[in-house]
Amino acid sequence: MNPDPEYTVSDTSFSSLNLPPTMLSNLADLGYKEMTPIQARSLPHALADKDIIAKAKTGSGKTAAFGIGLLLKINQRDFGTQALVLCPTRELSTQVAQEIRRLARFKNNLKLVTLCGGQSVGPQIGSLEHGAHIIVGTPGRIQDLIRKGKLDLSRCTTVVLDEADRMLDMGFYEQIDGVIRNTPKKRQTLLFSATYPDGIKKLSSDLQVDPVEITVESVHSTSQIEQSFYSLEKTKKPDALARVLSHFSPESTVIFCNTKDQCREVSDHLRNLGYFAAALHGDLDQRDRDQVLVQFANRSNTILIATDVAARGLDISDLSLVINYDLPRDPEIYVHRIGRTGRAGKEGMAISLYRDSEQYKLDTISEYLSQMLQTESLSRLKKTSTDEPIKPVMRTLCIAGGRKDKIRPGDILGALTGEAGIDGSVVGKINIYDYAAYVAVKREEARKAHSRLVDGKIKGRRFKVRML
């Protein structure tokens, strides 16, 4: 590897990169004003066609860091696959694909296809029949389509591994290796990872040629986050968790557990107490995963319980509280967990529950952060039996029609605010998937909106609608 010099870029404007005027104009329209550190450090090397191994956290702007150079190399007249982006989850694949499409608005007739597990393979094969310039997806599904002879990567000159550490955590090493063996030996390989475990170094040595190593601030700044560690002493964990939630009454909380079984147990416990909580873990099918993520993101659920792998790529703004129900062994994972609160200059709160036997984990985290950690007793938190859990401000309606039915967010909004007579101010986020759409509506107006959609039409058609 060739370590890149420390970040000393003085001109962070995109115009300093000698990009095409049409791309610069599109970047300006999208609100890309200045390059982030990862963009400023990696783009010059990416544009010079060098291999890169970059350490950067989620939310650092890394999609543009690899997407800009990737797009400039695409020849629209060649419908062979020229670029491949591998991601650990469908959610991250979808986010990456959406951002690349936005970045690609300056190019006409460019086709991007998303290929992920958890969905029917038939429509994906159909999407590939007429070729695709860019493929974004998960290693398992892409390898499956290569084996079926439905995907040809022989003309793929750019490969991106996004959140490579999580792909390794999920056991994708063999699939990644198998996929990339089907690409030309002469290619550009860009590897992005939040952490550098040994597996990443091996992956880089196996797949890259003389890569430039780039490291920007790889952890979320904890200066805006109030961290507290509560000793359980003789208190049972479920009771301790309920006490924390009752005392702080957060509007939105992510609770991290180390196992999917623990996620299910915590979710069941909180729902029995009246909390609007849902678990996100690897055993959920794709439809259920979509629903859990949508309901939390659009404020129809106040609590999300997740494992680290399941929560990867989760980007929720205005998150009030992160709770470590189980402390992780790795201090980097701890920092990435709590970094989901206190974003964009806002203050956040992170609370961890621990037993005396886990003191070594606190010591490791303290050393990693180079700061003393505040440990407290649960007895200082008020214990109430009368306070009811906060109800979410929104409720989600699920419509049995989506992108494949040519439904757009404006169609749903129009159906609600037009004939249905719902005020637009009560309508929240609208999420469109291939075969389903989700719309958040203020809780007090949800039943009215549901009945109006059931009795009405969207784009002249009737669709089944249910409240989640």
Side-chain angles (χ1 to χ4, degrees):
M1 295 183 190
N2 296 313
D4 189 46
E6 285 300 309
Y7 179 50
T8 56
V9 179
S10 57
D11 187 353
T12 58
S13 64
F14 285 96
S15 59
S16 67
L17 296 174
N18 194 30
L19 300 174
T22 50
M23 176 177 260
L24 288 172
S25 176
N26 182 53
L27 288 170
D29 290 343
L30 294 175
Y32 281 82
K33 296 177 181 178
E34 298 287 327
M35 288 187 282
T36 64
I38 187 60
Q39 291 163 2
R41 292 279 297 282
S42 62
L43 272 169
H45 299 297
L47 295 172
D49 214 27
K50 295 179 181 178
D51 284 4
I52 293 171
I53 177 169
K55 187 176 183 181
K57 65 183 177 67
T58 299
S60 61
K62 54 189 170 64
T63 302
F66 61 74
I68 287 173
L70 175 155
L71 287 167
L72 290 177
K73 294 167 63 177
I74 298 294
N75 175 8
Q76 296 104 300
R77 292 187 296 274
D78 177 4
F79 272 87
T81 298
Q82 300 162 53
L84 170 68
V85 183
L86 293 176
C87 303
T89 65
R90 179 194 168 193
E91 289 76 29
L92 183 60
S93 299
T94 300
Q95 290 177 26
V96 168
Q98 288 174 343
E99 190 59 21
I100 291 177
R101 286 192 178 101
R102 279 165 31 94
L103 292 168
R105 286 177 185 170
F106 75 102
K107 270 184 177 278
N108 295 322
N109 304 317
L110 187 140
K111 184 177 180 183
L112 183 152
V113 173
T114 306
L115 304 174
C116 300
Q119 295 177 300
S120 174
V121 74
Q124 294 181 359
I125 291 174
S127 297
L128 291 172
E129 286 181 354
H130 302 292
H133 299 106
I134 303 170
I135 299 293
V136 179
T138 50
R141 175 54 55 89
I142 289 173
Q143 186 181 47
D144 184 44
L145 289 168
I146 291 172
R147 285 173 177 165
K148 285 179 164 66
K150 303 299 182 181
L151 178 59
D152 179 10
L153 297 179
S154 62
R155 300 209 292 280
C156 180
T157 55
T158 306
V159 173
V160 179
L161 306 179
D162 194 12
E163 300 203 355
D165 52 346
R166 289 305 155 207
M167 285 196 281
L168 296 187
D169 285 347
M170 296 165 75
F172 282 144
Y173 195 103
E174 289 186 6
Q175 288 95 327
I176 293 170
D177 185 62
V179 167
I180 295 183
R181 285 181 186 276
N182 286 273
T183 65
K185 287 187 177 181
K186 189 175 181 181
R187 66 173 185 272
Q188 182 182 32
T189 306
L190 310 175
L191 190 156
F192 290 80
S193 182
T195 60
Y196 273 8
D198 290 340
I200 290 295
K201 296 170 185 175
K202 183 179 188 304
L203 192 65
S204 174
S205 65
D206 288 348
L207 304 178
Q208 295 184 299
V209 178
D210 202 20
V212 177
E213 184 177 2
I214 296 168
T215 301
V216 297
E217 182 189 4
S218 62
V219 297
H220 183 86
S221 172
T222 59
S223 60
Q224 297 291 116
I225 304 171
E226 179 186 344
Q227 302 175 65
S228 298
F229 295 80
Y230 286 93
S231 172
L232 291 173
E233 298 168 352
K234 295 181 180 180
T235 310
K236 294 180 179 179
K237 259 192 182 181
D239 295 338
L241 178 61
R243 194 162 183 166
V244 167
L245 292 171
S246 175
H247 178 87
F248 291 102
S249 298
E251 291 186 3
S252 60
T253 306
V254 172
I255 300 172
F256 282 102
C257 299
N258 289 346
T259 68
K260 57 192 176 187
D261 288 341
Q262 195 73 272
C263 282
R264 281 191 288 260
E265 291 174 13
V266 172
S267 176
D268 291 344
H269 177 68
L270 292 181
R271 291 178 75 86
N272 287 337
L273 293 177
Y275 287 95
F276 291 79
L280 184 68
H281 52 75
D283 284 352
L284 296 180
D285 63 30
Q286 197 59 53
R287 187 190 69 172
D288 290 340
R289 286 176 63 84
D290 290 341
Q291 290 186 7
V292 168
L293 286 167
V294 163
Q295 286 181 272
F296 186 70
N298 70 18
R299 303 174 71 193
S300 294
N301 263 340
T302 55
I303 300 173
L304 179 70
I305 305 103
T307 58
D308 294 296
V309 170
R312 196 66 173 190
L314 179 69
D315 188 13
I316 304 296
S317 58
D318 298 327
L319 183 61
S320 309
L321 174 64
V322 168
I323 297 176
N324 288 299
Y325 189 79
D326 299 317
L327 272 176
R329 292 180 180 275
D330 187 337
E332 281 198 49
I333 291 176
Y334 168 81
V335 174
H336 285 296
R337 283 182 179 184
I338 71 169
R340 297 175 188 278
T341 185
R343 290 189 169 185
K346 297 179 181 178
E347 293 185 357
M349 182 182 297
I351 289 174
S352 300
L353 305 177
Y354 76 99
R355 300 188 184 282
D356 288 344
S357 59
E358 296 179 294
Q359 182 63 46
Y360 72 96
K361 294 182 181 179
L362 268 69
D363 295 340
T364 303
I365 294 169
S366 177
E367 182 179 353
Y368 184 78
L369 295 176
S370 299
Q371 67 182 71
M372 293 293 292
L373 301 179
Q374 180 182 359
T375 59
E376 303 179 57
S377 171
L378 282 164
S379 60
R380 66 171 289 271
L381 301 182
K382 66 177 182 180
K383 186 175 182 180
T384 61
S385 58
T386 56
D387 291 350
E388 290 188 2
I390 294 176
K391 286 187 177 181
V393 296
M394 311 298 280
R395 184 110 187 238
T396 299
L397 306 182
C398 176
I399 301 164
R403 196 177 292 115
K404 297 295 185 180
D405 300 290
K406 309 298 184 186
I407 292 178
R408 298 169 300 178
D411 300 323
I412 297 173
L413 183 61
L416 285 168
T417 59
E419 291 183 10
I422 303 293
D423 193 297
S425 64
V426 307
V427 181
K429 288 186 177 182
I430 298 175
N431 298 85
I432 310 288
Y433 292 87
D434 283 349
Y435 301 103
Y438 302 91
V439 55
V441 181
K442 287 277 182 71
R443 179 164 289 273
E444 60 270 20
E445 296 286 335
R447 293 194 179 278
K448 178 181 174 183
H450 175 259
S451 62
R452 296 293 175 86
L453 283 182
V454 168
D455 296 334
K457 295 181 179 180
I458 301 173
K459 295 192 76 171
R461 295 176 56 191
R462 292 188 184 278
F463 292 92
K464 290 182 179 179
V465 183
R466 59 193 176 93
M467 282 200 294
L468 300 181

